[in-house]
Amino acid sequence: MIPGIKNIMFRYTFIVVIMLVLAILIIVKAGFIMFAERQYWKDVADRFVKENVVVPPTRGNIISADGKLMASSLPEYKIYMDFRAGGYKESDTLLTNHLTEICQGLHEIFPDKSAQEFRKHILKGRRKKSRHYLLYPKRISYIEYKQVKQLPVFCLGPNTGGLHEEKFNQRKKPFGSLAARTLGDMYPDMSLGAKNGLELTYDSVLRGKNGITHRQKVMNKYLNIVDQPPVDGYDIITTLDVDMQDIAEKALVDQLTNLEALSGVAIVMEVATGEVKANVNMIRGNDGHYYEMRNNAVSNLMEPGSTFKTASIMVALEDKYITPDYVVDTGNGMVNMYGSWMKDWNWYKGGYGAIDVTRILEVSSNVGVSTIIDRFYKNNPQKFVDGLKRMSIDKPLHLGFVGEASPRIWGPRERDSIKGAMPWSRTSLPWMSIGYETMFPPIYILNFYNAIANNGVMVKPKFVKAIAKDGEILQEIPTEVINPKICSDTTLTMIRAILRKVVSQGLAKPAGSKQFNVSGKTGTAQISQGTAGYRAGGVSYQVSFCGYFPSEAPKYSCMVSVLIPHGPASGGLQAGSVFSRIAERIYAKHLVRDLAYAKDSTSIFIPDVKNGDIEEAAYVLRALQVPGNSNTIPQSDEPIWGKASSTTAHANLKTTNINNKSVPNVIGMGAKDAVFLLESHGLKVQLSGVGKVYKQSIPAGSALHKGTTIILTLKN
């Protein structure tokens, strides 16, 4: 072989071997990376790029009809410290130099921990050189978070100062438990959605749409790159009126407490629109206090008792079997109905004797109503049931709430077709006519009386009136008509006249008012224990009153229902009196009269002005053209604190200086101004009573200790 060729072949073989070795090494290394080091390199890659990070939207607000925020998503934070941020030595020096200021600042923001406790806690994290050290155990508000970020070192940002946060969205109800069951609840983890109430019914509107980002490391910094921005949820504007809700809840709870009742419901509707202005559902807790636990207004099936007698009489009026002056002999208040005794409430007093239909409803005579219905419908009970159904009293409303129940009016035909239904008997008709052997949620009974008030037009109860975005109405929810005419005008005129007399002359007098006329009907029903009957384990009662006001031009309808575990039971006294308090306060709130009608020789037109933010008082006094020095008070975006004095001729305002190092004087202020001023000084406030501040537990001028609770006693 030629020497040159041999040399070339040697070189070629050497190169091939080297290439093969390199190829094998590459394959081996690739396999090692692919299998042995797969997770390591995956983690490294994730540090630089994180794909498809879901960005949750902000959930929409729930707003009252009068524009108040009832439920909103507010941010909360947990704050952490990275003790290695900005280089350990540099950040440690910064922290050491400002540690006293930081700990004192944290104590002022979070008074439950002393500055010394914060110092020990921070030094513990510093020794550990932790990168994610929890500074404060509780979630903090946005305002508190902004205050923490203003402290030395923490104000430098996460990469230098080390302070970083974890953000949470929490659903808050500014009015606490007010209308809690109507509004509904969210799961603690809001990503799981809503549990019940309007939160669940309108979840698709409120929740919005998730966005998507990916996080990428560029030049040693992480950047969030938005692929698809989140779409925040829409707001829903409810029909609820915060003031009416508060009025109804206060009146109901006071009565429940007096009666030691088990539960109670109070619902207020606007007659023409069906808008539910208040929906109170109170249940007694183990501690004896009352809480909103379930939406009983729409979910609690109950025998309506005597409130149902109105519907029974209307069927007979509509079929022209009777008129308001049709007379029934109720005898001594007892009558044997097919082997069972039907009794009036006063049977032991001898009954009512011969009375007409109007009087039958005025005194809520069981004997009178059942005798009428049995006399005319016993041979065709289905005709009576069909007459009830013509008025749409049992038509499902489909309000959209979880656990919503539907009424049960089962005649012979329905019971034959429903498996497990109690068979029809001769006693079914007379007992059904007085509100037994039927089941209704309270809101259905109210909706029926609302139709009577609304000239026979039955509208669907409405809890939401509009959907909005950024303050702009996107969609209005129209009023839905269920039945354009539940009965003839003749029947309607007769029953409205009767219901007015039930309150003015009958057992429902406690539901009336001296200020305006009320119409309605009481209800008292023993509560069945199922197969055990009505008296097993003692007798309990559902007392109720359902009606509307004012009678001449009905504006609102209202139902009050109370479950009491004992007698004596009176729908008029125990439920009607609650109705009266609700109606009078609502009527007063919406009553508008020309001032000229109120003038007389003894009238005083200078208002009693409260102490507090006198800039607001000055604005009102100027608008009313009240004589005084209101024109000398400048307009300001910040409160101008001062005192007010008034005579029969003028109202004067005087500014006062507020010392930020001592407890301010809030005597004579309204609750709103007093709470605002004291809380701005770092005090916690508890209120007792109503009206102006009469006494404060910590005297004005005392040394100020932030976080201390001060009790204000209010008095009219």
Side-chain angles (χ1 to χ4, degrees):
M1 182 179 292
I2 300 172
I5 295 175
K6 182 178 180 181
N7 195 30
I8 291 172
M9 289 297 295
F10 176 77
R11 291 177 182 177
Y12 176 75
T13 302
F14 178 78
I15 292 171
V16 170
V17 170
I18 294 296
M19 295 294 290
L20 286 173
V21 170
L22 288 173
I24 292 170
L25 289 173
I26 291 170
I27 292 171
V28 170
K29 184 63 175 177
F32 186 74
I33 292 172
M34 185 178 297
F35 298 103
E37 297 182 343
R38 178 177 183 178
Q39 189 59 44
Y40 170 79
W41 290 108
K42 188 173 183 298
D43 292 342
V44 170
D46 284 346
R47 279 191 238 156
F48 290 90
V49 178
K50 194 168 185 181
E51 300 287 352
N52 298 328
V53 178
V54 174
V55 181
T58 299
R59 190 173 180 85
N61 299 318
I62 300 180
I63 302 169
S64 70
D66 47 339
K68 296 172 182 172
L69 196 62
M70 301 194 77
S72 182
S73 295
L74 299 177
E76 289 184 340
Y77 301 86
K78 279 196 170 183
I79 50 174
Y80 299 86
M81 185 66 182
D82 179 359
F83 290 98
R84 296 187 181 185
Y88 178 70
K89 290 184 179 180
E90 291 80 357
S91 63
D92 189 54
T93 302
L94 273 173
L95 182 66
T96 305
N97 291 342
H98 296 280
L99 186 58
T100 301
E101 298 168 71
I102 291 172
C103 294
Q104 184 60 37
L106 289 172
H107 165 64
E108 290 179 2
I109 299 169
F110 310 113
D112 59 320
K113 292 186 67 132
S114 67
Q116 189 60 31
E117 287 176 313
F118 275 114
R119 184 183 184 88
K120 289 179 180 179
H121 184 64
I122 290 174
L123 289 176
K124 181 180 178 181
R126 174 174 168 265
R127 286 193 298 271
K128 291 182 176 180
K129 299 180 182 179
S130 174
R131 304 214 67 167
H132 193 63
Y133 189 71
L134 185 62
L135 285 178
Y136 186 68
K138 302 176 184 176
R139 292 183 182 181
I140 66 175
S141 69
Y142 176 74
I143 293 174
E144 291 169 328
Y145 168 68
K146 296 296 286 184
Q147 289 174 332
V148 170
K149 288 197 70 174
Q150 292 174 2
L151 296 176
V153 182
F154 294 167
C155 63
L156 299 176
N159 293 328
T160 304
L163 179 73
H164 56 284
E165 76 286 338
E166 187 176 359
K167 182 179 177 182
F168 304 87
N169 269 332
Q170 291 297 306
R171 201 66 168 168
K172 299 291 185 181
K173 296 174 182 174
F175 292 96
S177 63
L178 201 69
R181 287 304 96 210
T182 307
L183 299 177
D185 294 307
M186 302 292 297
Y187 286 100
D189 180 358
M190 285 183 58
S191 64
L192 298 177
K195 290 182 180 179
N196 45 45
L198 294 176
E199 292 277 20
L200 181 58
T201 305
Y202 287 86
D203 183 60
S204 61
V205 174
L206 290 164
R207 69 171 177 243
K209 294 182 180 178
N210 289 332
I212 297 176
T213 68
H214 69 269
R215 195 166 181 237
Q216 186 167 338
K217 189 173 183 181
V218 179
M219 297 294 291
N220 253 0
K221 291 184 179 179
Y222 285 104
L223 299 178
N224 287 320
I225 300 173
V226 178
D227 301 313
Q228 180 180 323
V231 178
D232 291 340
Y234 297 121
D235 300 334
I236 61 171
I237 300 175
T238 71
T239 60
L240 298 175
D241 183 293
V242 170
D243 291 335
M244 291 190 194
Q245 182 78 24
D246 188 47
I247 288 168
E249 181 173 312
K250 180 69 167 60
L252 180 64
V253 170
D254 285 350
Q255 184 70 310
L256 295 179
T257 304
N258 292 336
L259 296 173
E260 297 182 348
L262 300 177
S263 64
V265 169
I267 323 167
V268 179
M269 278 176 61
E270 190 173 71
V271 169
T273 64
E275 292 185 2
V276 177
K277 294 299 180 182
N279 183 29
V280 184
N281 301 271
M282 307 307 292
I283 298 174
R284 188 178 184 181
N286 294 330
D287 59 359
H289 296 291
Y290 293 90
Y291 304 94
E292 288 235 346
M293 300 182 189
R294 293 189 297 274
N295 194 352
N296 282 341
V298 302
S299 64
N300 186 31
L301 278 172
M302 66 178 195
E303 290 178 313
S306 297
T307 54
F308 193 75
K309 292 174 183 174
T310 301
S312 298
I313 291 299
M314 284 179 67
V315 173
L317 288 171
E318 189 73 355
D319 287 339
K320 295 182 173 54
Y321 289 134
I322 61 172
T323 59
D325 56 3
Y326 180 86
V327 176
V328 176
D329 186 3
T330 65
N332 63 355
M334 296 176 60
V335 63
N336 190 307
M337 287 282 185
Y338 309 105
S340 295
W341 284 101
M342 180 73 70
K343 297 180 180 180
D344 282 339
W345 72 273
N346 71 335
W347 64 271
Y348 60 92
K349 295 182 179 180
Y352 289 106
I355 52 177
D356 63 20
V357 170
T358 298
R359 189 63 181 163
I360 285 172
L361 284 186
E362 285 177 7
V363 298
S364 198
S365 170
N366 294 331
V367 173
V369 174
S370 60
T371 298
I372 289 172
I373 300 305
D374 186 67
R375 180 176 298 168
F376 295 109
Y377 296 96
K378 64 182 177 182
N379 294 325
N380 188 4
Q382 190 63 48
K383 181 178 180 181
F384 171 72
V385 175
D386 290 344
L388 293 170
K389 291 178 178 291
R390 276 199 311 271
M391 296 188 292
S392 302
I393 192 172
D394 69 327
K395 188 172 182 178
L397 297 175
H398 301 299
L399 300 173
F401 290 103
V402 171
E404 179 182 344
S406 294
R408 298 176 189 171
I409 303 179
W410 294 343
R413 184 173 61 236
E414 290 82 7
R415 297 192 189 197
D416 288 342
S417 62
I418 297 173
K419 186 177 180 180
M422 184 183 297
W424 186 268
S425 69
R426 289 186 298 174
T427 60
S428 295
L429 182 63
W431 260 263
M432 177 182 283
S433 71
I434 63 169
Y436 292 95
E437 296 200 22
T438 62
M439 302 290 280
F440 286 87
I443 199 166
Y444 281 78
I445 298 297
L446 174 62
N447 202 43
F448 174 67
Y449 278 80
N450 192 82
I452 295 172
N454 196 27
N455 296 317
V457 181
M458 180 177 283
V459 296
K460 180 177 177 177
K462 185 164 62 170
F463 287 85
V464 173
K465 61 192 301 185
I467 296 171
K469 182 76 169 179
D470 299 326
E472 180 182 350
I473 302 296
L474 301 181
Q475 178 186 348
E476 291 188 357
I477 310 298
T479 297
E480 182 179 334
V481 175
I482 295 173
N483 188 336
K485 206 70 174 174
I486 63 169
C487 64
S488 66
D489 289 335
T490 301
T491 298
L492 191 65
T493 301
M494 290 188 290
I495 201 65
R496 287 180 67 162
I498 292 173
L499 292 178
R500 182 168 171 176
K501 288 183 178 179
V502 169
V503 178
S504 63
Q505 301 176 25
L507 296 180
K509 283 183 180 178
S513 170
K514 295 179 180 179
Q515 312 302 321
F516 52 90
N517 291 313
V518 172
S519 300
K521 181 70 183 72
T522 59
T524 304
Q526 292 184 21
I527 303 301
S528 171
Q529 309 298 323
T531 56
Y534 287 90
R535 296 185 179 273
V539 180
S540 55
Y541 297 89
Q542 192 88 42
V543 295
S544 57
F545 180 85
C546 194
Y548 51 87
F549 61 94
S551 299
E552 299 81 1
K555 176 69 174 175
Y556 296 106
S557 60
C558 175
M559 181 170 187
V560 176
S561 176
V562 178
L563 176 60
I564 56 176
H566 53 74
S570 168
L573 187 62
Q574 294 165 327
S577 59
V578 180
F579 179 100
S580 178
R581 288 197 292 274
I582 294 172
E584 286 190 334
R585 291 169 188 175
I586 289 176
Y587 189 77
K589 180 179 182 292
H590 292 270
L591 180 63
V592 178
R593 290 182 178 172
D594 192 328
L595 188 62
Y597 291 105
K599 290 182 179 181
D600 59 38
S601 59
T602 62
S603 295
I604 299 173
F605 294 101
I606 303 300
D608 181 19
V609 185
K610 297 176 183 177
N611 298 338
D613 184 359
I614 59 171
E615 192 277 329
E616 290 188 350
Y619 176 84
V620 175
L621 293 172
R622 286 194 296 267
L624 295 175
Q625 297 182 347
V626 174
N629 67 340
S630 59
N631 288 324
T632 65
I633 306 300
Q635 295 184 2
S636 172
D637 293 332
E638 298 296 328
I640 300 175
W641 302 108
K643 295 183 177 182
S645 61
S646 58
T647 67
T648 57
H650 56 79
N652 285 329
L653 306 173
K654 181 181 179 181
T655 60
T656 56
N657 294 323
I658 301 296
N659 186 345
N660 292 327
K661 295 183 179 180
S662 61
V663 177
N665 183 4
V666 296
I667 302 297
M669 291 188 185
K672 183 183 75 170
D673 284 349
V675 170
F676 179 85
L677 178 56
L678 292 172
E679 288 189 345
S680 69
H681 279 64
L683 296 172
K684 296 180 180 178
V685 183
Q686 288 185 5
L687 299 176
S688 174
V690 294
K692 294 190 292 187
V693 178
Y694 171 71
K695 183 171 67 175
Q696 58 187 79
S697 62
I698 303 176
S702 302
L704 185 67
H705 300 287
K706 292 186 177 181
T708 304
T709 298
I710 182 171
I711 301 172
L712 302 183
T713 303
L714 280 63
K715 191 175 180 181
N716 284 319

